[in-house]
Amino acid sequence: MVSVTDAGMVRTHNEDSVGTLPEQGIAILADGMGGYNAGEVASGIAVSLISAELSQALAQRDPAAIDPESGRPLAEIMLRDEIRRANASVYQAAQSQPQYAGMGTTLVVTLFFDNRVAIGHIGDSRTYRLRGEQLTQITKDHSLLQEQIDSGMISREEARRSCHKNLVTRALGIDPEVEPEIHVHDVQSEDIYLLCSDGLNDMVEDEEIRLTLLALRSNLPLAAHQLVQMANDNGGRDNVSVILIRVKHEFPVRRRGLLRLLSKLKK
């Protein structure tokens, strides 16, 4: 598990935040928005709170256990609870301090457990999965462009040329309550998961991302830096952040190996 974040070639400061807890299978990426430095505050609050609270929750609850009310894995409930708490904290900070008024952040969080991964997201930060040679976007943007694509108003190619790329329809911290989108996916050995802010996918085509991951899948630190460099070489109009995770082996519950589910990458 490796992370890189960069201000890009145009912005004077970086409003993205990233956090990883490899031993617990947690990765978090947030892309802040707001007035001067407010976006950085929003994303920082979200990442720090969720990483701390989710880590604590994992010490007390088994994410693979089934919630009796919903019949879903507790991992989903835990993600939803912690994202909602972070939303409340960012919202309250924005309401109580004028310099932070209107701040918010996108968010994507992964929690690996029992040969599965629970992914919660809000906004247009993404998760991709490379399985074999196929790269798949497994989150769906909460954005105006995505709604226009879904309705057939524009094509994906037209969306890439749009000047409305940054209009999200859902963000953390803007309203008193927010509903994160959460899904659980099966995980296979040698899967590679990419979390990224839109500073990457707006600047680098999915096919270029795929080819980079294929070429450097045995060296994820280099792959992460290469992806950021590609975004900057193509203009770097936004902050760009990536987290890369390679699943080295299976991690079923029976092994009680949740705290060792992701081996450290060789440097």
Side-chain angles (χ1 to χ4, degrees):
M1 187 180 289
V2 61
S3 63
V4 178
T5 184
D6 188 84
M9 304 302 292
V10 175
R11 304 292 180 90
T12 57
H13 61 287
N14 191 351
E15 294 188 322
D16 289 359
S17 294
V18 296
T20 60
L21 294 172
E23 297 301 312
Q24 294 176 294
I26 297 170
I28 311 169
L29 185 150
D31 180 354
M33 61 193 79
Y36 183 71
N37 285 342
E40 180 180 345
V41 171
S43 64
I45 291 174
V47 170
S48 62
L49 283 182
I50 293 173
S51 59
E53 296 296 328
L54 192 54
S55 178
Q56 185 175 352
L58 284 171
Q60 301 170 355
R61 307 166 75 185
D62 179 1
I66 300 300
D67 175 60
E69 293 186 10
S70 66
R72 305 296 299 169
L74 281 183
E76 291 188 35
I77 311 302
M78 295 160 73
L79 281 186
R80 182 169 284 108
D81 288 348
E82 302 312 332
I83 291 172
R84 286 173 172 173
R85 288 192 184 99
N87 180 79
S89 295
V90 174
Y91 180 78
Q92 289 167 7
Q95 296 300 304
S96 62
Q97 302 180 58
Q99 69 271 30
Y100 298 149
M103 72 176 177
T105 183
T106 70
L107 180 74
V108 60
V109 186
T110 63
L111 173 58
F112 289 82
F113 70 102
D114 190 29
N115 289 332
R116 288 171 284 175
V117 59
I119 302 175
H121 83 286
I122 298 170
D124 60 359
S125 291
R126 295 179 176 178
T127 299
Y128 291 86
R129 179 188 65 215
L130 181 72
R131 177 170 289 170
E133 295 191 354
Q134 182 175 358
L135 183 71
T136 304
Q137 180 185 334
I138 55 177
T139 56
K140 192 173 188 179
D141 296 350
H142 301 136
S143 68
L144 177 62
L145 278 182
Q146 187 62 56
E147 290 185 355
Q148 291 176 331
I149 292 170
D150 291 344
S151 68
M153 292 177 60
I154 61 173
S155 66
R156 291 193 176 276
E157 183 58 34
E158 289 170 331
R160 289 199 61 83
R161 299 192 299 268
S162 173
C163 58
H164 302 298
K165 289 183 178 180
N166 301 120
L167 298 178
V168 296
T169 55
R170 203 183 304 184
L172 186 143
I174 300 298
D175 296 311
E177 297 182 359
V178 71
E179 184 60 32
E181 186 171 347
I182 299 176
H183 297 284
V184 174
H185 303 268
D186 291 334
V187 171
Q188 296 181 9
S189 296
E190 297 305 321
D191 280 352
I192 293 177
Y193 292 83
L194 163 66
L195 283 64
C196 65
S197 59
D198 64 346
L200 177 68
N201 53 267
D202 279 353
M203 294 287 98
V204 183
E205 298 275 0
D206 284 6
E207 179 61 10
E208 294 179 279
I209 294 173
R210 185 184 76 89
L211 292 174
T212 300
L213 293 179
L214 284 174
L216 298 173
R217 65 190 312 159
S218 62
N219 189 340
L220 291 196
L222 180 58
H225 284 282
Q226 179 65 24
L227 289 172
V228 170
Q229 187 61 52
M230 291 165 65
N232 285 336
D233 288 346
N234 289 343
R237 292 193 296 270
D238 199 354
N239 308 147
V240 55
S241 298
V242 303
I243 299 175
L244 288 172
I245 304 155
R246 184 172 74 237
V247 179
K248 299 293 288 293
H249 51 70
E250 294 185 351
F251 47 96
V253 164
R254 66 178 180 273
R255 289 177 52 183
R256 307 303 298 168
L258 178 63
L259 299 184
R260 299 186 300 277
L261 65 90
L262 294 175
S263 299
K264 291 184 178 180
L265 296 170
K266 293 180 180 178
K267 300 299 184 181

Coordinates of all heavy atoms in Angstrom, one line a residue, residues 147-209:
E147 N -24.3 12.4 -14.3 CA -25.7 12.4 -14.5 C -26.1 12.6 -15.9 O -27.0 12.0 -16.5 CB -26.4 13.5 -13.6 CG -26.3 13.1 -12.1 CD -27.1 14.1 -11.2 OE1 -27.5 15.2 -11.8 OE2 -27.2 13.9 -10.0
Q148 N -25.3 13.5 -16.6 CA -25.6 13.8 -18.0 C -25.2 12.5 -18.9 O -25.9 12.2 -19.8 CB -24.7 15.0 -18.5 CG -25.2 16.3 -17.8 CD -24.4 17.5 -18.2 OE1 -23.2 17.3 -18.5 NE2 -24.9 18.6 -18.3
I149 N -24.2 11.8 -18.5 CA -23.8 10.6 -19.2 C -24.9 9.5 -19.0 O -25.3 8.9 -19.9 CB -22.5 10.0 -18.7 CG1 -21.3 11.0 -19.1 CG2 -22.2 8.6 -19.2 CD1 -20.0 10.6 -18.4
D150 N -25.4 9.4 -17.8 CA -26.4 8.4 -17.5 C -27.7 8.7 -18.2 O -28.4 7.7 -18.6 CB -26.7 8.3 -15.9 CG -25.5 7.8 -15.2 OD1 -24.6 7.1 -15.8 OD2 -25.5 8.0 -13.9
S151 N -28.0 9.9 -18.4 CA -29.3 10.3 -19.0 C -29.1 10.3 -20.6 O -30.1 10.5 -21.3 CB -29.7 11.7 -18.6 OG -28.8 12.7 -19.1
G152 N -27.9 10.1 -21.1 CA -27.7 10.1 -22.5 C -27.5 11.4 -23.1 O -27.4 11.6 -24.4
M153 N -27.4 12.5 -22.3 CA -27.2 13.8 -22.8 C -25.9 14.0 -23.5 O -25.8 14.7 -24.5 CB -27.4 14.9 -21.7 CG -28.8 15.0 -21.1 SD -28.9 16.2 -19.8 CE -28.3 17.7 -20.6
I154 N -24.9 13.4 -23.0 CA -23.5 13.5 -23.5 C -22.8 12.1 -23.5 O -23.2 11.3 -22.7 CB -22.6 14.5 -22.8 CG1 -22.4 14.1 -21.3 CG2 -23.2 15.9 -22.9 CD1 -21.5 15.0 -20.6
S155 N -21.8 12.0 -24.3 CA -21.1 10.8 -24.3 C -19.9 10.9 -23.4 O -19.6 12.0 -22.9 CB -20.5 10.5 -25.7 OG -19.5 11.5 -26.1
R156 N -19.2 9.8 -23.1 CA -18.1 9.8 -22.2 C -16.9 10.7 -22.8 O -16.2 11.4 -22.1 CB -17.6 8.4 -21.9 CG -18.5 7.6 -21.0 CD -17.9 6.4 -20.4 NE -18.8 5.7 -19.5 CZ -19.0 6.0 -18.3 NH1 -18.2 7.0 -17.7 NH2 -19.9 5.4 -17.5
E157 N -16.8 10.6 -24.1 CA -15.8 11.4 -24.8 C -16.1 12.9 -24.7 O -15.2 13.7 -24.4 CB -15.7 11.0 -26.3 CG -14.6 11.7 -27.0 CD -13.2 11.5 -26.4 OE1 -12.9 10.4 -25.9 OE2 -12.4 12.5 -26.5
E158 N -17.4 13.2 -24.9 CA -17.8 14.6 -24.7 C -17.6 15.1 -23.3 O -17.2 16.3 -23.0 CB -19.2 14.8 -25.1 CG -19.5 14.7 -26.6 CD -21.0 14.6 -26.9 OE1 -21.8 14.1 -26.1 OE2 -21.3 15.1 -28.0
A159 N -17.8 14.2 -22.3 CA -17.6 14.5 -20.9 C -16.1 14.9 -20.6 O -15.8 15.8 -19.8 CB -18.0 13.4 -20.0
R160 N -15.2 14.2 -21.3 CA -13.8 14.5 -21.1 C -13.4 15.9 -21.5 O -12.5 16.5 -21.0 CB -12.9 13.5 -21.8 CG -12.9 12.1 -21.2 CD -11.7 11.3 -21.6 NE -10.5 11.9 -21.2 CZ -9.9 11.7 -20.0 NH1 -10.5 11.0 -19.1 NH2 -8.8 12.3 -19.7
R161 N -14.2 16.4 -22.5 CA -13.8 17.8 -23.0 C -14.7 18.8 -22.3 O -14.5 20.0 -22.6 CB -14.1 17.8 -24.5 CG -13.2 16.8 -25.3 CD -13.3 17.1 -26.8 NE -14.6 17.0 -27.3 CZ -15.1 15.8 -27.8 NH1 -14.4 14.8 -27.9 NH2 -16.4 15.8 -28.3
S162 N -15.5 18.5 -21.4 CA -16.5 19.4 -20.8 C -15.7 20.4 -19.9 O -14.7 20.0 -19.3 CB -17.5 18.7 -20.0 OG -18.3 19.6 -19.3
C163 N -16.2 21.6 -19.7 CA -15.7 22.6 -18.8 C -16.4 22.5 -17.4 O -16.1 23.3 -16.6 CB -15.8 24.0 -19.4 SG -17.5 24.5 -19.7
H164 N -17.2 21.5 -17.2 CA -18.0 21.4 -16.0 C -17.5 20.1 -15.2 O -18.3 19.5 -14.5 CB -19.5 21.3 -16.2 CG -20.0 22.5 -17.0 ND1 -20.0 23.7 -16.5 CD2 -20.6 22.6 -18.2 CE1 -20.5 24.6 -17.3 NE2 -20.9 23.9 -18.4
K165 N -16.3 19.8 -15.3 CA -15.8 18.5 -14.7 C -15.8 18.5 -13.2 O -15.9 17.5 -12.5 CB -14.3 18.3 -15.1 CG -14.2 17.8 -16.6 CD -12.8 17.5 -16.9 CE -12.6 17.0 -18.4 NZ -11.2 16.7 -18.7
N166 N -15.7 19.7 -12.6 CA -15.6 19.8 -11.1 C -16.9 20.0 -10.4 O -16.9 20.3 -9.2 CB -14.6 20.9 -10.7 CG -13.2 20.6 -11.4 OD1 -12.8 21.5 -12.1 ND2 -12.6 19.5 -11.1
L167 N -18.0 19.9 -11.0 CA -19.3 20.1 -10.4 C -19.8 18.8 -9.8 O -20.4 18.0 -10.5 CB -20.3 20.7 -11.4 CG -20.0 22.0 -12.0 CD1 -21.0 22.5 -13.0 CD2 -19.8 23.1 -10.9
V168 N -19.6 18.6 -8.5 CA -20.1 17.4 -7.8 C -21.5 17.6 -7.3 O -21.9 18.7 -7.0 CB -19.1 17.0 -6.7 CG1 -17.7 16.6 -7.2 CG2 -19.0 18.1 -5.6
T169 N -22.2 16.5 -7.3 CA -23.6 16.6 -6.8 C -23.7 16.1 -5.3 O -24.8 16.2 -4.8 CB -24.5 15.7 -7.7 OG1 -24.0 14.4 -7.7 CG2 -24.6 16.3 -9.1
R170 N -22.6 15.6 -4.8 CA -22.6 15.2 -3.4 C -21.2 15.4 -2.8 O -20.2 15.1 -3.5 CB -23.0 13.7 -3.3 CG -23.6 13.2 -2.0 CD -23.8 11.7 -2.0 NE -24.7 11.2 -3.1 CZ -25.1 10.0 -3.2 NH1 -24.7 9.1 -2.3 NH2 -25.9 9.6 -4.2
A171 N -21.2 16.0 -1.6 CA -19.9 16.2 -1.0 C -20.0 16.1 0.5 O -21.1 16.3 1.1 CB -19.3 17.6 -1.4
L172 N -18.9 15.8 1.2 CA -18.9 15.7 2.6 C -18.7 17.0 3.3 O -17.8 17.8 2.9 CB -17.8 14.7 3.0 CG -17.7 14.3 4.5 CD1 -17.3 12.8 4.7 CD2 -16.7 15.2 5.3
G173 N -19.6 17.4 4.2 CA -19.4 18.6 5.0 C -20.3 19.8 4.5 O -20.3 20.8 5.2
I174 N -20.9 19.6 3.4 CA -21.7 20.7 2.8 C -23.1 20.8 3.5 O -23.6 21.9 3.8 CB -21.9 20.6 1.3 CG1 -20.6 20.5 0.6 CG2 -22.8 21.7 0.8 CD1 -19.8 21.8 0.8
D175 N -23.7 19.7 3.8 CA -25.0 19.7 4.5 C -24.9 18.9 5.8 O -23.9 18.2 6.1 CB -26.0 18.9 3.6 CG -26.3 19.6 2.3 OD1 -26.5 20.8 2.3 OD2 -26.2 19.0 1.2
P176 N -25.9 19.1 6.7 CA -25.8 18.5 8.0 C -25.7 17.0 7.9 O -25.1 16.3 8.8 CB -27.1 18.9 8.7 CG -27.6 20.2 8.0 CD -27.1 20.0 6.6
E177 N -26.3 16.4 6.9 CA -26.3 14.9 6.7 C -25.9 14.6 5.3 O -26.2 15.4 4.4 CB -27.6 14.3 7.1 CG -28.0 14.5 8.6 CD -29.3 13.8 8.9 OE1 -29.9 13.2 8.0 OE2 -29.7 13.9 10.1
V178 N -25.3 13.5 5.1 CA -24.9 13.0 3.7 C -25.1 11.5 3.7 O -24.9 10.9 4.7 CB -23.5 13.5 3.4 CG1 -22.5 12.7 4.1 CG2 -23.3 13.4 1.9
E179 N -25.4 11.0 2.5 CA -25.5 9.6 2.4 C -24.4 9.1 1.5 O -24.4 9.3 0.3 CB -26.9 9.2 1.7 CG -27.1 7.7 1.6 CD -27.1 7.0 3.0 OE1 -27.5 7.6 4.0 OE2 -26.7 5.8 3.0
P180 N -23.4 8.4 2.1 CA -22.3 7.8 1.3 C -22.8 6.6 0.5 O -23.8 5.9 0.9 CB -21.3 7.4 2.3 CG -22.1 7.1 3.5 CD -23.2 8.1 3.5
E181 N -22.2 6.4 -0.7 CA -22.5 5.2 -1.5 C -21.5 4.1 -1.1 O -20.3 4.4 -1.1 CB -22.4 5.5 -3.0 CG -22.8 4.3 -3.8 CD -22.9 4.7 -5.3 OE1 -22.9 5.9 -5.6 OE2 -23.0 3.8 -6.1
I182 N -22.0 3.0 -0.7 CA -21.1 1.9 -0.2 C -21.4 0.6 -0.9 O -22.6 0.2 -1.0 CB -21.3 1.8 1.4 CG1 -20.9 3.1 2.1 CG2 -20.4 0.6 1.9 CD1 -21.1 3.1 3.6
H183 N -20.4 -0.1 -1.3 CA -20.5 -1.4 -2.0 C -19.4 -2.3 -1.5 O -18.4 -1.8 -1.1 CB -20.5 -1.2 -3.5 CG -21.6 -0.4 -4.1 ND1 -22.9 -0.9 -4.2 CD2 -21.6 0.9 -4.6 CE1 -23.6 0.1 -4.8 NE2 -22.9 1.1 -5.0
V184 N -19.7 -3.6 -1.5 CA -18.7 -4.6 -1.2 C -18.4 -5.4 -2.4 O -19.3 -5.8 -3.2 CB -19.2 -5.5 -0.1 CG1 -18.3 -6.6 0.2 CG2 -19.5 -4.7 1.2
H185 N -17.1 -5.6 -2.6 CA -16.6 -6.4 -3.8 C -15.7 -7.5 -3.4 O -15.0 -7.4 -2.4 CB -15.8 -5.4 -4.7 CG -16.5 -4.2 -5.2 ND1 -17.3 -4.2 -6.4 CD2 -16.7 -3.0 -4.6 CE1 -17.8 -3.0 -6.5 NE2 -17.5 -2.3 -5.5
D186 N -15.8 -8.6 -4.1 CA -14.9 -9.7 -3.8 C -13.5 -9.3 -4.3 O -13.3 -8.6 -5.3 CB -15.3 -11.0 -4.6 CG -16.6 -11.6 -4.0 OD1 -16.9 -11.4 -2.8 OD2 -17.3 -12.2 -4.8
V187 N -12.5 -9.8 -3.6 CA -11.1 -9.5 -3.8 C -10.3 -10.8 -4.2 O -10.6 -11.9 -3.7 CB -10.4 -8.9 -2.6 CG1 -8.9 -8.8 -2.7 CG2 -11.1 -7.5 -2.3
Q188 N -9.4 -10.7 -5.2 CA -8.6 -11.8 -5.6 C -7.1 -11.5 -5.4 O -6.7 -10.3 -5.4 CB -8.8 -12.1 -7.1 CG -10.3 -12.6 -7.4 CD -10.4 -13.0 -8.8 OE1 -9.5 -13.0 -9.6 NE2 -11.7 -13.2 -9.2
S189 N -6.3 -12.5 -5.2 CA -4.9 -12.3 -5.0 C -4.4 -11.6 -6.3 O -4.8 -11.9 -7.4 CB -4.2 -13.6 -4.8 OG -4.6 -14.2 -3.6
E190 N -3.5 -10.7 -6.1 CA -2.8 -9.9 -7.1 C -3.7 -8.8 -7.7 O -3.2 -8.1 -8.7 CB -2.2 -10.8 -8.2 CG -1.1 -11.7 -7.7 CD 0.0 -11.0 -7.0 OE1 0.4 -9.9 -7.5 OE2 0.5 -11.5 -6.0
D191 N -4.9 -8.6 -7.2 CA -5.6 -7.4 -7.6 C -4.8 -6.2 -7.2 O -4.1 -6.2 -6.1 CB -7.0 -7.3 -6.8 CG -8.1 -8.2 -7.4 OD1 -7.9 -8.8 -8.5 OD2 -9.1 -8.3 -6.8
I192 N -4.9 -5.1 -8.0 CA -4.4 -3.8 -7.6 C -5.5 -2.8 -7.6 O -6.3 -2.8 -8.5 CB -3.3 -3.4 -8.6 CG1 -2.1 -4.3 -8.5 CG2 -2.9 -1.9 -8.3 CD1 -1.0 -4.0 -9.5
Y193 N -5.6 -2.1 -6.5 CA -6.6 -1.1 -6.3 C -6.0 0.3 -6.3 O -5.0 0.5 -5.7 CB -7.4 -1.3 -5.0 CG -8.2 -2.6 -5.1 CD1 -7.7 -3.8 -4.8 CD2 -9.6 -2.6 -5.5 CE1 -8.4 -5.0 -4.9 CE2 -10.3 -3.7 -5.6 CZ -9.7 -4.9 -5.3 OH -10.4 -6.1 -5.4
L194 N -6.6 1.2 -7.1 CA -6.2 2.6 -7.2 C -7.2 3.5 -6.7 O -8.4 3.5 -7.2 CB -5.8 2.9 -8.7 CG -5.7 4.4 -9.1 CD1 -4.5 5.0 -8.4 CD2 -5.6 4.5 -10.6
L195 N -6.9 4.3 -5.7 CA -7.8 5.4 -5.3 C -7.1 6.7 -5.8 O -5.9 6.8 -5.7 CB -7.8 5.5 -3.7 CG -8.7 4.5 -3.0 CD1 -8.2 3.0 -3.2 CD2 -8.8 4.8 -1.5
C196 N -7.9 7.6 -6.3 CA -7.4 8.8 -6.9 C -8.3 10.0 -6.8 O -9.5 9.8 -6.8 CB -6.9 8.6 -8.3 SG -8.2 8.2 -9.5
S197 N -7.8 11.1 -6.7 CA -8.5 12.4 -6.9 C -8.7 12.6 -8.4 O -8.0 12.1 -9.2 CB -7.9 13.5 -6.2 OG -6.6 13.8 -6.7
D198 N -9.6 13.6 -8.7 CA -9.9 13.8 -10.1 C -8.7 14.5 -10.8 O -8.7 14.6 -12.1 CB -11.2 14.6 -10.3 CG -11.1 16.0 -9.7 OD1 -10.2 16.3 -8.9 OD2 -12.0 16.8 -10.0
G199 N -7.7 15.0 -10.0 CA -6.5 15.5 -10.6 C -5.8 14.5 -11.5 O -5.0 14.8 -12.3
L200 N -6.0 13.2 -11.2 CA -5.4 12.2 -12.0 C -6.2 11.8 -13.2 O -5.7 12.0 -14.4 CB -5.1 10.9 -11.2 CG -4.5 9.7 -12.0 CD1 -3.1 10.0 -12.5 CD2 -4.6 8.4 -11.3
N201 N -7.5 11.4 -13.0 CA -8.2 10.9 -14.2 C -8.7 12.0 -15.1 O -9.1 11.7 -16.2 CB -9.4 10.1 -13.7 CG -10.3 10.8 -12.7 OD1 -10.1 10.6 -11.5 ND2 -11.3 11.6 -13.1
D202 N -8.7 13.3 -14.7 CA -8.9 14.4 -15.6 C -7.8 14.6 -16.5 O -7.9 15.2 -17.6 CB -9.2 15.7 -14.8 CG -10.7 15.7 -14.3 OD1 -11.5 14.8 -14.7 OD2 -11.0 16.7 -13.6
M203 N -6.6 14.3 -16.1 CA -5.4 14.6 -16.8 C -4.8 13.4 -17.6 O -4.1 13.5 -18.6 CB -4.3 15.1 -15.9 CG -4.5 16.4 -15.2 SD -4.4 17.8 -16.4 CE -6.1 18.1 -16.8
V204 N -5.2 12.1 -17.1 CA -4.6 10.9 -17.7 C -5.7 10.0 -18.1 O -6.6 9.7 -17.3 CB -3.7 10.2 -16.7 CG1 -3.0 9.0 -17.3 CG2 -2.6 11.2 -16.2
E205 N -5.7 9.5 -19.3 CA -6.7 8.6 -19.8 C -6.6 7.3 -19.1 O -5.6 6.8 -18.7 CB -6.5 8.3 -21.3 CG -6.6 9.6 -22.2 CD -8.1 9.8 -22.6 OE1 -9.0 9.1 -22.2 OE2 -8.3 10.8 -23.3
D206 N -7.8 6.6 -18.9 CA -7.9 5.3 -18.3 C -6.9 4.3 -18.9 O -6.3 3.5 -18.2 CB -9.3 4.8 -18.3 CG -10.2 5.5 -17.3 OD1 -9.8 6.4 -16.6 OD2 -11.4 5.0 -17.1
E207 N -6.8 4.3 -20.2 CA -5.9 3.4 -20.9 C -4.4 3.6 -20.5 O -3.7 2.7 -20.3 CB -6.1 3.4 -22.4 CG -5.2 2.5 -23.2 CD -5.4 1.0 -22.9 OE1 -6.4 0.7 -22.2 OE2 -4.6 0.2 -23.4
E208 N -4.1 4.9 -20.3 CA -2.7 5.2 -19.9 C -2.5 4.7 -18.5 O -1.4 4.2 -18.1 CB -2.4 6.7 -20.0 CG -2.4 7.2 -21.4 CD -2.2 8.7 -21.5 OE1 -3.2 9.5 -21.2 OE2 -1.0 9.1 -21.7
I209 N -3.5 4.9 -17.7 CA -3.4 4.4 -16.3 C -3.2 2.9 -16.3 O -2.3 2.3 -15.6 CB -4.6 4.8 -15.5 CG1 -4.7 6.3 -15.3 CG2 -4.7 4.1 -14.1 CD1 -6.0 6.8 -14.7

